[in-house]
Amino acid sequence: MRRVEALIAAVAAAPVWFGEWREDRRSWRQLAAMSERELQDIGVCRADICHRRSDDGRRSYWPP
């Protein structure tokens, strides 16, 4: 019974995970398309796009 509940929970969480993954990809593409000057204006360097941000604990912007 617990396995079934775990499977149902995993299936229910999949759309949320997929939405977050799509948003991360969209963000990465937008940042990667910016010039060095535009990145500097928003306080981000090119290396920040590729490396995990320690302040939010989330994964890297680099696409999987």
Side-chain angles (χ1 to χ4, degrees), residues 39-56:
L39 291 172
Q40 185 180 15
D41 285 345
I42 63 171
V44 176
C45 68
R46 184 84 41 205
D48 290 339
I49 299 171
C50 299
H51 297 291
R52 183 180 308 259
R53 292 186 48 186
S54 61
D55 59 340
D56 65 9

Side-chain angles (χ1 to χ4, degrees), residues 1 7 9 14 16-17 23 41 64:
M1 187 67 171
L7 180 61
V16 173
W17 174 84
E23 183 62 32
D41 285 345

Side-chain angles (χ1 to χ4, degrees), residues 7-21:
L7 180 61
I8 291 170
V11 170
V16 173
W17 174 84
F18 184 71
E20 290 174 356
W21 176 80

